[in-house]
Structures are given as C-alpha cells and as structure tokens.
Coordinates of all heavy atoms in Angstrom, one line a residue:
M293 N 16.7 -21.7 -42.9 CA 17.3 -20.9 -41.8 C 16.7 -21.2 -40.5 O 15.5 -21.3 -40.4 CB 17.1 -19.4 -42.2 CG 17.7 -18.5 -41.2 SD 17.8 -16.8 -41.9 CE 17.1 -15.9 -40.6
V294 N 17.5 -21.4 -39.5 CA 17.0 -21.7 -38.1 C 16.9 -20.4 -37.3 O 17.8 -19.6 -37.3 CB 17.9 -22.7 -37.4 CG1 17.4 -23.0 -36.0 CG2 18.0 -24.0 -38.2
A295 N 15.7 -20.2 -36.8 CA 15.5 -18.9 -36.0 C 15.6 -19.2 -34.5 O 15.2 -20.3 -34.1 CB 14.1 -18.4 -36.3
N296 N 16.2 -18.3 -33.8 CA 16.3 -18.4 -32.3 C 14.9 -18.2 -31.8 O 14.3 -17.1 -32.0 CB 17.3 -17.4 -31.8 CG 17.5 -17.5 -30.3 OD1 16.6 -17.9 -29.6 ND2 18.7 -17.2 -29.9
P297 N 14.3 -19.1 -31.0 CA 13.0 -19.0 -30.5 C 12.9 -17.8 -29.5 O 11.8 -17.3 -29.2 CB 12.7 -20.3 -29.8 CG 14.0 -20.9 -29.6 CD 14.9 -20.4 -30.6
N298 N 14.0 -17.4 -29.0 CA 14.1 -16.3 -28.0 C 14.4 -14.9 -28.6 O 14.5 -13.9 -27.9 CB 15.1 -16.6 -26.9 CG 14.7 -17.8 -26.1 OD1 13.7 -17.9 -25.6 ND2 15.6 -18.8 -26.1
L299 N 14.5 -14.9 -29.9 CA 15.0 -13.6 -30.5 C 14.1 -12.5 -30.2 O 14.5 -11.4 -29.9 CB 15.1 -13.8 -32.1 CG 15.5 -12.6 -32.9 CD1 16.9 -12.2 -32.4 CD2 15.5 -12.9 -34.3
R300 N 12.8 -12.6 -30.3 CA 11.8 -11.5 -30.1 C 12.0 -11.0 -28.7 O 12.1 -9.8 -28.5 CB 10.4 -11.9 -30.3 CG 9.4 -10.8 -30.2 CD 8.0 -11.2 -30.7 NE 7.1 -10.1 -30.7 CZ 7.1 -9.0 -31.5 NH1 7.9 -9.0 -32.5 NH2 6.2 -8.1 -31.3
R301 N 12.2 -11.9 -27.7 CA 12.3 -11.4 -26.3 C 13.7 -10.7 -26.2 O 13.7 -9.6 -25.5 CB 12.3 -12.6 -25.4 CG 12.4 -12.2 -23.9 CD 11.9 -13.1 -23.0 NE 11.9 -12.5 -21.7 CZ 12.2 -13.2 -20.6 NH1 12.5 -14.4 -20.6 NH2 12.2 -12.6 -19.4
F302 N 14.7 -11.2 -26.8 CA 16.0 -10.5 -26.7 C 15.9 -9.1 -27.3 O 16.5 -8.2 -26.7 CB 17.1 -11.3 -27.5 CG 17.5 -12.6 -26.8 CD1 17.9 -13.6 -27.6 CD2 17.4 -12.8 -25.5 CE1 18.3 -14.9 -27.0 CE2 17.7 -14.0 -24.9 CZ 18.2 -15.0 -25.7
L303 N 15.2 -9.0 -28.4 CA 15.1 -7.6 -29.0 C 14.2 -6.7 -28.2 O 14.2 -5.5 -28.5 CB 14.5 -7.8 -30.4 CG 15.4 -8.5 -31.4 CD1 14.7 -8.7 -32.7 CD2 16.7 -7.7 -31.6
Q304 N 13.6 -7.1 -27.1 CA 12.8 -6.3 -26.3 C 13.6 -5.9 -25.0 O 13.1 -5.1 -24.2 CB 11.5 -6.9 -25.9 CG 10.6 -7.1 -27.0 CD 9.3 -7.9 -26.6 OE1 9.2 -8.4 -25.5 NE2 8.4 -8.1 -27.6
M305 N 14.7 -6.4 -24.8 CA 15.5 -6.3 -23.6 C 16.4 -5.0 -23.5 O 17.2 -5.0 -22.6 CB 16.3 -7.5 -23.3 CG 15.5 -8.7 -23.0 SD 16.5 -10.2 -22.8 CE 16.0 -10.6 -21.1
Y306 N 16.2 -4.1 -24.4 CA 17.1 -2.9 -24.3 C 16.2 -1.7 -24.4 O 15.2 -1.7 -25.0 CB 18.2 -3.0 -25.3 CG 17.8 -2.9 -26.8 CD1 17.7 -1.7 -27.4 CD2 17.4 -4.1 -27.5 CE1 17.3 -1.6 -28.7 CE2 17.0 -4.0 -28.8 CZ 17.0 -2.8 -29.4 OH 16.5 -2.7 -30.7
S307 N 16.7 -0.6 -23.8 CA 16.0 0.7 -23.9 C 15.9 1.2 -25.3 O 16.7 1.0 -26.1 CB 16.8 1.7 -23.1 OG 16.2 2.9 -23.0
Q308 N 14.7 1.7 -25.6 CA 14.4 2.3 -26.9 C 14.2 1.2 -28.0 O 14.4 1.5 -29.2 CB 15.4 3.3 -27.4 CG 15.3 4.7 -26.7 CD 16.1 4.7 -25.4 OE1 17.2 4.2 -25.4 NE2 15.6 5.3 -24.4
S309 N 13.9 0.0 -27.6 CA 13.7 -1.1 -28.6 C 12.5 -0.7 -29.4 O 11.5 -0.2 -28.9 CB 13.4 -2.4 -27.8 OG 12.9 -3.4 -28.7
R310 N 12.5 -1.0 -30.7 CA 11.4 -0.7 -31.5 C 10.2 -1.6 -31.3 O 9.1 -1.3 -31.5 CB 11.8 -0.8 -33.0 CG 12.7 0.3 -33.4 CD 13.0 0.2 -34.9 NE 14.0 1.2 -35.2 CZ 14.5 1.4 -36.4 NH1 14.2 0.5 -37.4 NH2 15.4 2.3 -36.7
L311 N 10.5 -2.8 -30.7 CA 9.4 -3.7 -30.5 C 8.7 -3.4 -29.2 O 7.4 -3.4 -29.1 CB 9.9 -5.2 -30.4 CG 10.5 -5.7 -31.6 CD1 11.1 -7.1 -31.4 CD2 9.4 -5.8 -32.7
S312 N 9.4 -3.1 -28.1 CA 8.9 -2.8 -26.8 C 10.0 -2.6 -25.9 O 11.1 -3.0 -26.1 CB 8.0 -4.0 -26.3 OG 7.7 -3.9 -25.0
N313 N 9.8 -1.9 -24.7 CA 10.8 -1.9 -23.7 C 10.3 -2.4 -22.4 O 10.8 -2.2 -21.3 CB 11.3 -0.4 -23.5 CG 10.2 0.5 -23.0 OD1 9.1 0.1 -22.8 ND2 10.6 1.7 -22.7
V314 N 9.2 -3.2 -22.5 CA 8.6 -3.8 -21.3 C 9.6 -4.7 -20.6 O 9.6 -4.8 -19.4 CB 7.3 -4.6 -21.7 CG1 7.6 -5.9 -22.5 CG2 6.5 -4.9 -20.4
E315 N 10.5 -5.3 -21.3 CA 11.5 -6.2 -20.6 C 12.6 -5.5 -20.0 O 13.4 -6.1 -19.3 CB 12.1 -7.2 -21.7 CG 11.1 -8.1 -22.3 CD 10.5 -9.1 -21.3 OE1 11.2 -9.4 -20.3 OE2 9.4 -9.7 -21.5
T316 N 12.7 -4.2 -20.1 CA 13.8 -3.4 -19.5 C 13.4 -2.9 -18.1 O 14.2 -2.3 -17.5 CB 14.2 -2.2 -20.4 OG1 13.1 -1.3 -20.4 CG2 14.6 -2.6 -21.8
R317 N 12.2 -3.1 -17.7 CA 11.8 -2.6 -16.4 C 11.2 -3.7 -15.6 O 10.5 -4.6 -16.0 CB 10.7 -1.6 -16.7 CG 11.2 -0.3 -17.2 CD 10.1 0.6 -17.6 NE 10.6 1.9 -18.0 CZ 11.2 2.2 -19.1 NH1 11.6 1.2 -19.9 NH2 11.6 3.4 -19.4
G318 N 11.6 -3.7 -14.3 CA 11.0 -4.5 -13.3 C 11.6 -5.9 -13.2 O 12.7 -6.2 -13.7
Y319 N 11.0 -6.7 -12.3 CA 11.5 -7.9 -11.9 C 11.3 -9.0 -13.0 O 10.2 -9.2 -13.5 CB 10.8 -8.4 -10.6 CG 11.2 -9.7 -10.1 CD1 12.5 -10.0 -9.7 CD2 10.3 -10.7 -10.0 CE1 12.9 -11.2 -9.2 CE2 10.7 -12.0 -9.6 CZ 11.9 -12.2 -9.2 OH 12.3 -13.5 -8.7
D320 N 12.4 -9.7 -13.3 CA 12.4 -10.8 -14.3 C 13.1 -11.9 -13.6 O 14.3 -11.8 -13.4 CB 13.0 -10.4 -15.6 CG 13.0 -11.6 -16.6 OD1 12.6 -12.7 -16.2 OD2 13.4 -11.3 -17.7
E321 N 12.4 -13.0 -13.2 CA 13.0 -14.1 -12.5 C 14.2 -14.7 -13.2 O 15.1 -15.2 -12.6 CB 11.9 -15.2 -12.4 CG 12.0 -16.0 -11.1 CD 10.8 -16.9 -10.9 OE1 9.7 -16.4 -10.9 OE2 11.1 -18.1 -10.8
L322 N 14.2 -14.6 -14.6 CA 15.3 -15.2 -15.3 C 16.6 -14.4 -15.3 O 17.7 -15.0 -15.4 CB 14.9 -15.4 -16.8 CG 13.7 -16.4 -17.0 CD1 13.3 -16.3 -18.5 CD2 14.1 -17.8 -16.6
T323 N 16.5 -13.1 -15.1 CA 17.6 -12.3 -15.2 C 18.0 -11.5 -13.9 O 19.0 -10.9 -13.9 CB 17.5 -11.2 -16.4 OG1 16.4 -10.4 -16.1 CG2 17.3 -11.9 -17.7
Y324 N 17.1 -11.6 -12.9 CA 17.4 -10.8 -11.7 C 18.5 -11.4 -10.9 O 18.7 -12.6 -10.8 CB 16.1 -10.9 -10.8 CG 16.2 -9.9 -9.6 CD1 16.0 -8.6 -9.8 CD2 16.6 -10.4 -8.4 CE1 16.1 -7.7 -8.7 CE2 16.7 -9.6 -7.3 CZ 16.4 -8.2 -7.4 OH 16.5 -7.4 -6.4
V325 N 19.4 -10.5 -10.5 CA 20.6 -10.9 -9.7 C 20.4 -10.3 -8.3 O 20.3 -9.0 -8.2 CB 21.9 -10.4 -10.3 CG1 23.1 -10.8 -9.4 CG2 22.0 -11.0 -11.7
P326 N 20.3 -11.0 -7.2 CA 20.1 -10.5 -5.9 C 21.3 -9.6 -5.6 O 22.4 -9.8 -5.9 CB 20.1 -11.7 -5.0 CG 19.6 -12.8 -5.8 CD 20.2 -12.5 -7.2
T327 N 21.0 -8.5 -4.8 CA 22.0 -7.5 -4.5 C 22.0 -7.3 -3.0 O 21.3 -8.0 -2.2 CB 21.6 -6.1 -5.1 OG1 20.4 -5.6 -4.5 CG2 21.4 -6.2 -6.6
K328 N 22.8 -6.4 -2.5 CA 22.8 -6.1 -1.1 C 21.5 -5.6 -0.5 O 21.2 -5.8 0.6 CB 23.9 -5.0 -0.8 CG 25.3 -5.6 -0.9 CD 26.4 -4.5 -0.6 CE 27.8 -5.1 -0.8 NZ 28.8 -4.1 -0.5
L329 N 20.7 -5.0 -1.4 CA 19.3 -4.6 -1.0 C 18.5 -5.9 -0.6 O 17.8 -5.8 0.4 CB 18.6 -3.9 -2.1 CG 19.1 -2.5 -2.5 CD1 18.3 -2.0 -3.7 CD2 19.0 -1.6 -1.3
D330 N 18.6 -6.9 -1.4 CA 17.9 -8.2 -1.0 C 18.4 -8.8 0.2 O 17.7 -9.3 1.1 CB 18.1 -9.2 -2.2 CG 17.5 -8.7 -3.5 OD1 16.3 -8.9 -3.7 OD2 18.3 -8.1 -4.3
E331 N 19.8 -8.8 0.4 CA 20.4 -9.4 1.6 C 20.2 -8.6 2.9 O 20.0 -9.2 3.9 CB 21.9 -9.6 1.3 CG 22.1 -10.6 0.1 CD 23.6 -10.5 -0.4 OE1 24.4 -9.9 0.3 OE2 23.8 -11.0 -1.5
A332 N 20.3 -7.3 2.8 CA 20.2 -6.5 4.0 C 18.9 -5.8 4.2 O 18.3 -5.8 5.3 CB 21.4 -5.5 4.0
L333 N 18.5 -5.0 3.2 CA 17.3 -4.2 3.4 C 16.0 -5.0 3.4 O 15.1 -4.7 4.2 CB 17.3 -3.1 2.3 CG 16.1 -2.1 2.3 CD1 16.2 -1.3 3.7 CD2 16.2 -1.2 1.2
M334 N 15.8 -5.9 2.5 CA 14.6 -6.7 2.5 C 14.2 -7.3 3.8 O 13.1 -7.1 4.3 CB 14.6 -7.7 1.3 CG 13.2 -8.3 1.1 SD 13.1 -9.4 -0.3 CE 13.6 -8.5 -1.7
P335 N 15.1 -8.0 4.5 CA 14.7 -8.6 5.8 C 14.3 -7.5 6.8 O 13.4 -7.7 7.6 CB 16.0 -9.3 6.2 CG 16.7 -9.6 5.0 CD 16.5 -8.5 4.1
M336 N 15.0 -6.4 6.8 CA 14.7 -5.3 7.7 C 13.3 -4.7 7.4 O 12.5 -4.4 8.4 CB 15.7 -4.2 7.7 CG 17.0 -4.6 8.3 SD 18.2 -3.2 8.5 CE 18.9 -3.2 6.8
I337 N 12.9 -4.6 6.2 CA 11.6 -4.1 5.8 C 10.5 -5.1 6.3 O 9.5 -4.8 6.9 CB 11.5 -3.9 4.3 CG1 12.4 -2.7 3.9 CG2 10.1 -3.6 3.9 CD1 12.6 -2.6 2.4
K338 N 10.8 -6.4 6.0 CA 9.9 -7.5 6.3 C 9.7 -7.6 7.9 O 8.6 -8.0 8.3 CB 10.3 -8.8 5.7 CG 10.1 -8.8 4.2 CD 10.8 -9.9 3.5 CE 10.1 -11.2 3.6 NZ 10.7 -12.2 2.8
E339 N 10.7 -7.3 8.6 CA 10.7 -7.3 10.1 C 10.0 -6.1 10.7 O 9.8 -6.0 11.9 CB 12.1 -7.5 10.7 CG 12.7 -8.8 10.4 CD 14.2 -8.9 10.7 OE1 14.7 -7.9 11.3 OE2 14.8 -9.9 10.3
G340 N 9.7 -5.1 9.8 CA 9.0 -3.9 10.3 C 9.9 -2.9 10.9 O 9.5 -2.0 11.7
Q341 N 11.2 -2.9 10.6 CA 12.1 -1.9 11.2 C 12.0 -0.5 10.6 O 12.4 0.4 11.2 CB 13.6 -2.4 10.9 CG 13.9 -3.6 11.8 CD 15.4 -4.0 11.6 OE1 16.2 -3.2 11.3 NE2 15.7 -5.3 11.9
Y342 N 11.3 -0.4 9.4 CA 11.1 0.9 8.8 C 9.6 1.1 8.5 O 8.9 0.2 8.0 CB 11.9 1.0 7.5 CG 13.3 0.8 7.6 CD1 14.0 -0.4 7.3 CD2 14.1 1.9 8.1 CE1 15.4 -0.5 7.4 CE2 15.5 1.7 8.3 CZ 16.1 0.5 7.9 OH 17.4 0.4 8.1
S343 N 9.1 2.3 8.8 CA 7.8 2.6 8.3 C 7.8 3.3 7.0 O 6.8 3.4 6.3 CB 7.1 3.5 9.4 OG 7.8 4.7 9.6
L344 N 9.0 3.7 6.6 CA 9.1 4.4 5.3 C 10.6 4.1 4.8 O 11.5 4.2 5.6 CB 8.9 5.9 5.4 CG 9.2 6.7 4.1 CD1 8.3 6.4 3.0 CD2 9.3 8.2 4.4
F345 N 10.7 3.8 3.5 CA 12.0 3.7 2.9 C 12.0 4.2 1.5 O 10.9 4.2 0.9 CB 12.6 2.2 3.0 CG 11.9 1.3 2.1 CD1 12.4 1.0 0.8 CD2 10.8 0.6 2.5 CE1 11.7 0.1 -0.1 CE2 10.1 -0.3 1.7 CZ 10.6 -0.5 0.4
M346 N 13.0 4.9 1.1 CA 13.1 5.4 -0.2 C 14.3 4.9 -0.9 O 15.4 4.8 -0.3 CB 13.2 7.0 -0.2 CG 12.0 7.6 0.4 SD 12.1 9.4 0.3 CE 12.7 9.7 2.0
I347 N 14.2 4.6 -2.2 CA 15.3 4.0 -3.0 C 15.5 5.0 -4.1 O 14.6 5.3 -4.9 CB 14.9 2.6 -3.5 CG1 14.7 1.7 -2.4 CG2 16.1 2.1 -4.4 CD1 14.3 0.3 -2.8
T348 N 16.7 5.4 -4.3 CA 17.1 6.3 -5.4 C 18.2 5.7 -6.2 O 18.9 4.8 -5.7 CB 17.5 7.7 -4.9 OG1 18.7 7.6 -4.1 CG2 16.4 8.4 -4.1
G349 N 18.4 6.1 -7.4 CA 19.5 5.6 -8.2 C 19.3 6.0 -9.7 O 18.3 6.6 -10.1
N350 N 20.2 5.6 -10.5 CA 20.2 5.8 -11.9 C 19.2 4.8 -12.6 O 18.9 3.8 -12.0 CB 21.6 5.6 -12.5 CG 22.6 6.6 -12.0 OD1 22.3 7.8 -11.8 ND2 23.7 6.1 -11.6
A351 N 18.8 5.2 -13.8 CA 18.0 4.3 -14.6 C 18.7 3.0 -14.8 O 19.9 3.0 -15.1 CB 17.7 5.0 -15.9
G352 N 18.0 1.9 -14.6 CA 18.6 0.6 -14.8 C 19.4 0.0 -13.6 O 19.9 -1.1 -13.7
D353 N 19.3 0.7 -12.5 CA 20.0 0.2 -11.3 C 19.3 -0.9 -10.6 O 19.8 -1.6 -9.8 CB 20.2 1.3 -10.3 CG 21.3 2.3 -10.6 OD1 22.2 1.9 -11.4 OD2 21.5 3.3 -9.9
G354 N 18.0 -1.1 -10.9 CA 17.2 -2.2 -10.4 C 16.3 -1.8 -9.3 O 15.8 -2.7 -8.5
K355 N 15.9 -0.5 -9.2 CA 15.0 -0.1 -8.1 C 13.7 -0.7 -8.3 O 13.1 -1.3 -7.3 CB 14.9 1.5 -8.2 CG 16.2 2.2 -8.0 CD 16.0 3.7 -8.2 CE 15.6 4.1 -9.6 NZ 16.5 3.8 -10.7
T356 N 13.1 -0.6 -9.4 CA 11.7 -1.2 -9.7 C 11.8 -2.7 -9.5 O 10.9 -3.3 -8.9 CB 11.2 -0.9 -11.1 OG1 11.2 0.6 -11.2 CG2 9.9 -1.4 -11.3
A357 N 12.8 -3.4 -10.0 CA 12.9 -4.8 -9.8 C 13.0 -5.2 -8.4 O 12.3 -6.2 -7.9 CB 14.1 -5.4 -10.6
F358 N 13.7 -4.5 -7.6 CA 13.8 -4.8 -6.1 C 12.4 -4.6 -5.5 O 12.0 -5.5 -4.7 CB 14.8 -3.9 -5.4 CG 14.8 -4.0 -3.9 CD1 15.3 -5.1 -3.3 CD2 14.1 -3.0 -3.2 CE1 15.2 -5.2 -1.9 CE2 14.1 -3.1 -1.8 CZ 14.6 -4.3 -1.2
I359 N 11.7 -3.5 -5.8 CA 10.4 -3.3 -5.2 C 9.4 -4.4 -5.6 O 8.7 -4.9 -4.8 CB 9.9 -1.9 -5.5 CG1 10.8 -0.9 -4.8 CG2 8.5 -1.7 -5.1 CD1 10.6 0.6 -5.2
Q360 N 9.5 -4.8 -6.9 CA 8.6 -5.8 -7.3 C 8.9 -7.2 -6.7 O 8.0 -7.9 -6.4 CB 8.6 -5.9 -8.8 CG 7.9 -4.7 -9.5 CD 8.0 -4.7 -11.0 OE1 8.8 -5.4 -11.6 NE2 7.1 -4.0 -11.6
R361 N 10.2 -7.4 -6.5 CA 10.5 -8.7 -5.8 C 10.1 -8.7 -4.4 O 9.6 -9.7 -3.9 CB 12.1 -8.9 -5.9 CG 12.5 -10.2 -5.3 CD 13.7 -10.7 -5.9 NE 14.0 -12.1 -5.4 CZ 14.9 -12.4 -4.6 NH1 15.7 -11.5 -4.1 NH2 15.0 -13.6 -4.1
L362 N 10.3 -7.5 -3.7 CA 9.8 -7.4 -2.3 C 8.3 -7.6 -2.3 O 7.8 -8.3 -1.4 CB 10.2 -6.0 -1.8 CG 9.6 -5.6 -0.4 CD1 10.1 -6.5 0.7 CD2 9.9 -4.2 -0.1
E363 N 7.6 -7.0 -3.2 CA 6.2 -7.1 -3.3 C 5.7 -8.5 -3.5 O 4.8 -9.0 -2.8 CB 5.6 -6.2 -4.4 CG 4.2 -6.2 -4.6 CD 3.8 -5.3 -5.7 OE1 4.2 -5.6 -6.9 OE2 3.0 -4.3 -5.5
Q364 N 6.4 -9.3 -4.3 CA 6.1 -10.7 -4.6 C 6.3 -11.5 -3.3 O 5.5 -12.3 -3.0 CB 7.0 -11.2 -5.7 CG 6.8 -12.7 -6.0 CD 7.7 -13.2 -7.1 OE1 8.8 -12.6 -7.3 NE2 7.4 -14.3 -7.6
E365 N 7.4 -11.3 -2.6 CA 7.7 -12.1 -1.4 C 6.6 -11.8 -0.4 O 6.2 -12.7 0.4 CB 9.1 -11.8 -0.9 CG 10.1 -12.5 -1.8 CD 11.5 -12.6 -1.1 OE1 11.5 -12.4 0.2 OE2 12.5 -12.8 -1.8
M366 N 6.2 -10.5 -0.2 CA 5.2 -10.1 0.7 C 3.9 -10.7 0.4 O 3.2 -11.2 1.2 CB 5.1 -8.6 0.8 CG 6.4 -7.9 1.2 SD 6.9 -8.1 2.9 CE 6.4 -6.6 3.5
R367 N 3.6 -10.7 -0.9 CA 2.3 -11.3 -1.4 C 2.3 -12.8 -1.0 O 1.3 -13.3 -0.5 CB 2.1 -11.1 -2.9 CG 0.9 -11.9 -3.4 CD 0.8 -11.8 -4.9 NE 0.4 -10.4 -5.3 CZ 1.1 -9.6 -6.1 NH1 2.3 -10.0 -6.6 NH2 0.7 -8.4 -6.4
E368 N 3.4 -13.5 -1.3 CA 3.4 -14.9 -1.0 C 3.3 -15.2 0.5 O 2.6 -16.1 0.9 CB 4.8 -15.5 -1.5 CG 4.8 -15.6 -3.0 CD 6.2 -15.9 -3.5 OE1 7.1 -16.2 -2.7 OE2 6.4 -16.0 -4.8
E369 N 3.9 -14.4 1.4 CA 3.8 -14.6 2.8 C 2.3 -14.3 3.3 O 1.8 -15.0 4.1 CB 4.8 -13.7 3.5 CG 6.2 -14.2 3.4 CD 7.2 -13.4 4.3 OE1 6.8 -13.0 5.4 OE2 8.3 -13.3 3.9
L370 N 1.7 -13.2 2.7 CA 0.3 -12.9 3.1 C -0.6 -14.1 2.7 O -1.5 -14.4 3.4 CB -0.1 -11.6 2.4 CG 0.5 -10.3 3.0 CD1 0.2 -9.1 2.2 CD2 0.0 -10.1 4.4
E371 N -0.4 -14.6 1.5 CA -1.3 -15.7 1.0 C -1.1 -16.9 1.8 O -2.1 -17.6 2.1 CB -1.0 -16.0 -0.5 CG -1.5 -14.9 -1.4 CD -1.1 -15.0 -2.9 OE1 -0.3 -16.0 -3.2 OE2 -1.6 -14.2 -3.7
K372 N 0.1 -17.2 2.3 CA 0.3 -18.3 3.2 C -0.6 -18.2 4.5 O -1.0 -19.2 5.1 CB 1.8 -18.5 3.6 CG 2.6 -19.1 2.5 CD 4.1 -19.2 3.0 CE 5.0 -19.5 1.9 NZ 6.4 -19.5 2.3
R373 N -0.7 -16.9 4.9 CA -1.5 -16.7 6.1 C -3.0 -16.5 5.8 O -3.8 -16.2 6.7 CB -1.0 -15.4 6.8 CG 0.4 -15.6 7.3 CD 0.8 -14.5 8.3 NE 0.4 -13.2 7.9 CZ 1.2 -12.1 7.9 NH1 2.5 -12.3 8.2 NH2 0.8 -10.9 7.6
G374 N -3.4 -16.7 4.5 CA -4.8 -16.5 4.1 C -5.2 -15.1 4.0 O -6.4 -14.8 3.9
E375 N -4.3 -14.2 3.9 CA -4.6 -12.7 3.7 C -4.3 -12.3 2.2 O -3.7 -13.1 1.5 CB -3.7 -11.9 4.6 CG -3.9 -12.2 6.1 CD -3.0 -11.4 7.0 OE1 -2.7 -10.2 6.6 OE2 -2.5 -12.0 7.9
K376 N -4.9 -11.2 1.8 CA -4.7 -10.7 0.4 C -4.3 -9.3 0.4 O -4.5 -8.6 1.4 CB -6.0 -10.9 -0.4 CG -6.4 -12.4 -0.6 CD -7.4 -12.5 -1.6 CE -7.9 -13.9 -1.7 NZ -7.2 -14.8 -2.6
F377 N -3.7 -8.8 -0.7 CA -3.4 -7.4 -0.8 C -4.7 -6.7 -0.8 O -5.8 -7.2 -1.3 CB -2.7 -7.2 -2.2 CG -1.3 -7.4 -2.2 CD1 -0.6 -8.1 -1.1 CD2 -0.5 -6.9 -3.2 CE1 0.7 -8.3 -1.1 CE2 0.9 -7.1 -3.2 CZ 1.5 -7.8 -2.2
Q378 N -4.7 -5.5 -0.3 CA -5.9 -4.7 -0.2 C -6.3 -4.1 -1.5 O -7.4 -3.9 -1.9 CB -5.8 -3.6 0.9 CG -5.6 -4.1 2.2 CD -5.1 -3.1 3.2 OE1 -4.6 -2.0 2.8 NE2 -5.2 -3.4 4.5
K379 N -5.3 -3.7 -2.3 CA -5.5 -3.0 -3.6 C -4.3 -3.3 -4.5 O -3.2 -3.2 -4.1 CB -5.6 -1.5 -3.3 CG -5.8 -0.7 -4.6 CD -5.9 0.8 -4.2 CE -6.1 1.6 -5.5 NZ -6.1 3.1 -5.1
E380 N -4.6 -3.7 -5.7 CA -3.6 -4.0 -6.7 C -3.9 -3.1 -8.0 O -5.0 -3.1 -8.4 CB -3.5 -5.4 -7.1 CG -3.0 -6.3 -5.9 CD -2.8 -7.8 -6.4 OE1 -1.9 -8.0 -7.2 OE2 -3.6 -8.6 -5.9
T381 N -2.8 -2.5 -8.5 CA -2.9 -1.7 -9.7 C -1.8 -2.1 -10.6 O -0.9 -2.9 -10.2 CB -2.9 -0.2 -9.4 OG1 -1.5 0.1 -9.0 CG2 -3.9 0.2 -8.4
K382 N -1.8 -1.6 -11.8 CA -0.7 -1.8 -12.7 C 0.7 -1.3 -12.2 O 1.7 -1.8 -12.6 CB -1.0 -1.3 -14.1 CG -2.0 -2.0 -14.9 CD -2.3 -1.4 -16.2 CE -3.4 -2.1 -17.0 NZ -3.6 -1.6 -18.3
S383 N 0.6 -0.3 -11.4 CA 1.8 0.4 -10.9 C 2.2 0.0 -9.5 O 3.1 0.6 -8.9 CB 1.7 1.9 -11.0 OG 0.7 2.3 -10.2
G384 N 1.5 -0.9 -8.8 CA 1.9 -1.3 -7.5 C 0.7 -1.9 -6.7 O -0.3 -2.2 -7.2
S385 N 0.9 -1.9 -5.4 CA 0.0 -2.5 -4.5 C -0.1 -1.8 -3.2 O 0.9 -1.1 -2.8 CB 0.3 -4.0 -4.2 OG 0.3 -4.8 -5.3
Q386 N -1.2 -1.9 -2.5 CA -1.3 -1.4 -1.1 C -1.8 -2.5 -0.3 O -2.7 -3.2 -0.6 CB -2.4 -0.3 -1.1 CG -2.6 0.3 0.2 CD -3.7 1.4 0.2 OE1 -4.1 1.9 -0.9 NE2 -4.3 1.7 1.3
F387 N -1.1 -2.7 0.9 CA -1.4 -3.8 1.7 C -0.9 -3.6 3.1 O 0.0 -2.7 3.3 CB -0.8 -5.1 1.2 CG 0.7 -5.1 1.0 CD1 1.5 -5.6 2.0 CD2 1.3 -4.7 -0.1 CE1 2.9 -5.6 1.9 CE2 2.6 -4.7 -0.3 CZ 3.4 -5.1 0.7
S388 N -1.4 -4.3 4.1 CA -1.0 -4.2 5.5 C -0.2 -5.5 5.7 O -0.6 -6.6 5.3 CB -2.1 -4.1 6.4 OG -2.8 -3.0 6.2
Y389 N 0.9 -5.3 6.4 CA 1.8 -6.5 6.7 C 2.2 -6.4 8.2 O 2.8 -5.3 8.6 CB 3.0 -6.4 5.8 CG 4.0 -7.6 5.9 CD1 3.7 -8.8 5.4 CD2 5.1 -7.4 6.6 CE1 4.5 -9.9 5.5 CE2 6.0 -8.5 6.8 CZ 5.7 -9.7 6.2 OH 6.5 -10.8 6.4
K390 N 1.9 -7.4 8.9 CA 2.3 -7.4 10.4 C 1.8 -6.2 11.0 O 2.4 -5.5 11.7 CB 3.8 -7.6 10.6 CG 4.2 -9.0 10.1 CD 5.7 -9.2 10.5 CE 6.1 -10.6 10.1 NZ 7.5 -10.9 10.4

C-alpha cells in the first residue's frame, strides 16, 4: 500500500481534528490566499495611516493569518534596516515601525 506523504498534515487541517488543529489557525504560506485586506489595508498600515486598527469576523475568516502575514512583512522590513522586534511571544510581537 502506498501512503500519501502529506496525509498527516491533511488530517490536521480541519477544526476538531483528533491529531491537532494547529494547521487551522494562522498564516500558512502554502494555503494563504491574499484578500482585499492585503491589497488595501496592509499598505495603509505600513504607511502609518492608522495608529489602531481592529479586525473582526467569523472563525476561519483569516483574521489571524492576515495579522501574522502583516507581522512577517514588517519583521522582514525591519531586519533589512538592521532593526529587530522589541518583544516576541507565542501569541504575537511588539515592535516600533517608522
């Protein structure tokens, strides 16, 4: 019998999976689909047009993934300038940008 080498990962990609639900949350480069948030809101945040923004929505709408993607892009830009995040935790980061 030939086993799919991705089977374990596939079985973790849905809510209430017995193996794990880690794959159902957050940014995954392989499955992320850019949205209007990426196209419109992300540039405005990066340009400093907002000092605060809030994202609301249903479970699975991609809120966490968007924030993690924004965080990744900000981290990359800071590192290019030789700067680092001030504080990193499992649930997020704190940093100064521009």
Side-chain angles (χ1 to χ4, degrees):
M293 182 166 130
V294 177
N296 184 327
N298 298 304
L299 181 60
R300 184 167 183 80
R301 182 156 187 220
F302 292 151
L303 292 174
Q304 294 175 357
M305 293 177 118
Y306 65 93
S307 183
Q308 288 88 38
S309 167
R310 290 183 184 179
L311 296 176
S312 167
N313 68 354
V314 70
E315 296 292 337
T316 66
R317 288 174 173 65
Y319 176 64
D320 179 354
E321 211 172 305
L322 296 174
T323 60
Y324 189 80
V325 177
T327 66
K328 288 182 181 179
L329 291 176
D330 297 276
E331 297 165 11
L333 182 59
M334 192 177 298
M336 290 189 276
I337 293 168
K338 291 165 80 173
E339 291 168 10
Q341 292 185 22
Y342 299 104
S343 58
L344 172 70
F345 67 95
M346 293 184 268
I347 300 175
T348 64
N350 296 316
D353 280 349
K355 301 174 298 293
T356 301
F358 170 76
I359 291 169
Q360 288 176 342
R361 182 151 189 255
L362 172 65
E363 183 180 61
Q364 177 185 18
E365 287 197 18
M366 302 289 255
R367 176 184 286 119
E368 289 170 2
E369 287 188 31
L370 287 170
E371 288 175 352
K372 283 180 189 175
R373 297 193 319 230
E375 301 176 36
K376 295 195 186 268
F377 277 16
Q378 296 166 343
K379 180 180 178 184
E380 292 187 67
T381 68
K382 289 182 180 181
S383 62
S385 299
Q386 178 182 342
F387 59 95
S388 295
Y389 183 78
K390 293 187 180 182

